[in-house]
Amino acid sequence: MVFRGSSKSSTKSIRFVDELRQQMAAISDNKSKQAAYRSIPKAEMIVFDAPGLMDDYYVNIMSWGKNNVLAVGLGPTLYLWNSVDQRTHKLFHVREEDNWPTSITWSKETQTLAVGYTCSNLQLWDAESSKLIRSLQGHSGRIASTAWNGHILTSGSRDKSIINHDIRARNHLASCIKKHSDEVCGLKWSNEGDRLASGGSEKQLYIWEASKMSSSKFLHRFTDHCAAVKALAWCPYQHNVLASGGGWNDRCIRIWNTQKGICIHSIETKAQIPGLEWNRHHREILSSHGYSTGEDQNKLCLWKYPSMTKVGEFGNHEPRIINLCQSPDGVTVVSAVADETLRFWDVFGPPTTGTSMASDLQGLFSSRNSLIR
C-alpha cells in the first residue's frame, strides 16, 4: 500500500493490508453461508385459468418477450398478457377449424411475434398495432417450433424440414434443410447467434453453424436420446454448452459441449422433459416434467450446475406440464399445464438469508386465481 517512507509507516500499512484481508475473508465466509440457504417455492405466486390450452407435448405455445408481455395460444385464440399493468389483450382469433397456433416466439426486440400453425401457416404480427405484417410460405406440415436470430426467423415443421426466413427480403427463403426424419419439435439459436440446435421426434439432435446452413452440412449429430428432443437451452455463461431433454422413453437431461461434440453430463430424471430454463443469476438449470414411470411426474426440478446435483423439486401439478418459459428479468418462470392453467413461480431470485419469509409470502399469493382471457 505504501511504497516509500519510514519503516514505521510501512508497518502500519502492512497491518492495514492484513485487516483488509481479514475483512474480505469474513465477507466471503458470510456469502458462502448465505448461499447455503436456497429458497425453493412452496407454491405458485399466481395461477391463471387458461381455457383451451393444448395438451400436446410437441407444441410451443408460450413466449415471454423483453417488453414484459407473455404471448400464449389458447386453442384458436392468441392472448397477450402484460406483466407490468396486468392487462390482457386478444391479438387474434382463428376462424378456421383445427388450424390453431402451435408455435409462438417473440423477436429479440419484441417488435414482431412469429406464429406457426397446425396447417403449415407461418405469420408475423405487429403486437403494438395488432396487425398481421406478413405470411411466410414454405412448409407443408404443422409448425411446432420457431426461433429468431436477428433478422432470420427459423421454423421447424412436421414435414421434417427446417427453413431459415430472411424477413428483410421479398424472397424470404434463405435456406431449407432436410436432415431430420420426423417432426422438428425443438429449435434454439445460441446466445451469440453462431449455432443452431434442432431436435426431432426421431430422437436426434443436430448442431448447425450459422455460416454453413445453406450447405445443409451439420456440425454435430447426437443420437444419445431415446425419445423426441423438444427441450433445448443454451447456457448463458458458458459458450458452446447446450442442455437438451428427452421425451417419455428417454427421461434424460444431457449437457453437451458443442465445440468438442461430446456429452459432458447425463441425468436420468424418471419423467418426460418438455422444458429447460437456465438460471441467469445462479449456476442452475430448471427442468419441467410430464409423464413418468413412477411418482416423479408433473414437477419442476432445480439442478446445480456443473455438478447436476438436485437442489430441490416443487410444483406437484395434477396433470403434466406442456411448456416452460422465463421472464425477461430472469427471476420468474411460468409453466403451462394440461389442466388449462398457467402457473407462475419465483424460483430464480437471489437466495434468502436464513429465513423462509419469502416462501411463506409466496404461499399467500398462490390463492390468487385469475382468468387469462
Side-chain angles (χ1 to χ4, degrees), residues 179 206-209 212 215-221:
K179 287 292 183 182
Y206 286 87
I207 307 297
W208 311 88
E209 290 179 291
K212 299 178 181 178
S215 66
S216 295
K217 291 182 179 179
F218 55 82
L219 178 63
H220 301 296
R221 178 174 62 189

Side-chain angles (χ1 to χ4, degrees), residues 160-179:
K160 309 170 190 176
S161 70
I162 298 170
I163 295 179
N164 284 320
H165 310 266
D166 187 342
I167 64 168
R168 303 169 304 174
R170 184 175 181 180
N171 181 14
H172 60 86
L173 187 61
S175 61
C176 181
I177 299 168
K178 295 184 178 180
K179 287 292 183 182

Side-chain angles (χ1 to χ4, degrees), residues 13-161:
S13 69
I14 291 169
R15 286 176 182 171
F16 182 58
V17 170
D18 287 341
E19 286 174 9
L20 277 177
R21 283 176 177 167
Q22 288 172 5
Q23 289 174 12
M24 292 300 290
I27 291 169
S28 176
D29 230 21
N30 190 39
K31 281 185 177 179
S32 65
K33 285 177 182 177
Q34 288 182 10
Y37 297 102
R38 185 64 177 94
S39 175
I40 302 298
K42 292 180 179 179
E44 310 91 333
M45 288 286 289
I46 305 173
V47 180
F48 279 160
D49 289 322
L53 192 145
M54 293 176 68
D55 183 6
D56 189 331
Y57 171 80
Y58 298 96
V59 299
N60 294 278
I61 44 80
M62 274 199 314
S63 181
W64 205 334
K66 288 185 178 179
N67 55 358
N68 285 310
V69 175
L70 176 68
V72 56
L74 302 182
T77 310
L78 196 149
Y79 291 94
L80 304 177
W81 176 72
N82 190 311
S83 60
V84 178
D85 60 21
Q86 308 287 307
R87 293 183 180 180
T88 303
H89 168 65
K90 183 170 74 173
L91 183 61
F92 63 78
H93 178 86
V94 182
R95 294 181 180 180
E96 302 171 55
E97 289 186 13
D98 301 324
N99 189 26
W100 296 354
T102 48
S103 178
I104 300 168
T105 315
W106 281 109
S107 62
K108 187 176 181 180
E109 297 78 15
T110 60
Q111 295 175 343
T112 310
L113 190 66
V115 185
Y117 294 83
T118 309
C119 296
S120 76
N121 312 58
L122 181 60
Q123 295 179 341
L124 303 180
W125 284 80
D126 183 334
E128 282 291 325
S129 62
S130 297
K131 290 182 179 179
L132 174 64
I133 304 171
R134 191 174 183 183
S135 293
L136 305 174
Q137 307 302 319
H139 286 296
S140 59
R142 84 165 175 183
I143 300 170
S145 54
T146 45
W148 287 93
N149 186 20
H151 58 271
I152 297 294
L153 173 63
T154 306
S155 56
S157 171
R158 187 176 271 175
D159 65 12
K160 309 170 190 176
S161 70

Side-chain angles (χ1 to χ4, degrees), residues 272-287:
Q272 184 184 57
I273 305 163
L276 292 167
E277 290 288 341
W278 288 94
N279 186 343
R280 302 201 298 266
H281 307 291
H282 304 274
R283 289 184 173 257
E284 298 169 341
I285 187 169
L286 182 72
S287 58

Side-chain angles (χ1 to χ4, degrees), residues 331-363:
V331 172
T332 306
V333 296
V334 55
S335 55
V337 192
D339 63 355
E340 298 186 336
T341 61
L342 302 180
R343 300 172 183 266
F344 294 77
W345 309 86
D346 260 2
V347 62
F348 284 162
T352 56
T353 56
T355 72
S356 60
M357 186 183 295
S359 296
D360 293 334
L361 286 174
Q362 288 167 359

Side-chain angles (χ1 to χ4, degrees), residues 174-288:
S175 61
C176 181
I177 299 168
K178 295 184 178 180
K179 287 292 183 182
H180 283 278
S181 57
D182 209 332
E183 181 173 22
V184 182
C185 54
L187 285 174
K188 194 74 72 173
W189 279 100
S190 64
N191 303 315
E192 295 75 17
D194 58 343
R195 291 182 183 176
L196 174 73
S198 66
S201 297
E202 85 284 51
K203 314 169 189 177
Q204 295 189 5
L205 170 62
Y206 286 87
I207 307 297
W208 311 88
E209 290 179 291
S211 58
K212 299 178 181 178
M213 288 195 72
S214 57
S215 66
S216 295
K217 291 182 179 179
F218 55 82
L219 178 63
H220 301 296
R221 178 174 62 189
F222 300 124
T223 59
D224 302 49
H225 283 291
C226 303
V229 184
K230 174 194 174 185
L232 299 169
W234 290 92
C235 182
Y237 30 76
Q238 218 170 352
H239 182 54
N240 295 323
V241 170
L242 172 76
S244 62
W248 187 79
N249 286 329
D250 182 71
R251 305 179 297 277
C252 286
I253 299 172
R254 300 182 192 275
I255 310 294
W256 309 91
N257 183 322
T258 63
Q259 183 67 37
K260 298 179 179 179
I262 58 172
C263 180
I264 53 180
H265 285 292
S266 180
I267 301 91
E268 165 66 62
T269 69
K270 300 180 182 179
Q272 184 184 57
I273 305 163
L276 292 167
E277 290 288 341
W278 288 94
N279 186 343
R280 302 201 298 266
H281 307 291
H282 304 274
R283 289 184 173 257
E284 298 169 341
I285 187 169
L286 182 72
S287 58
S288 62

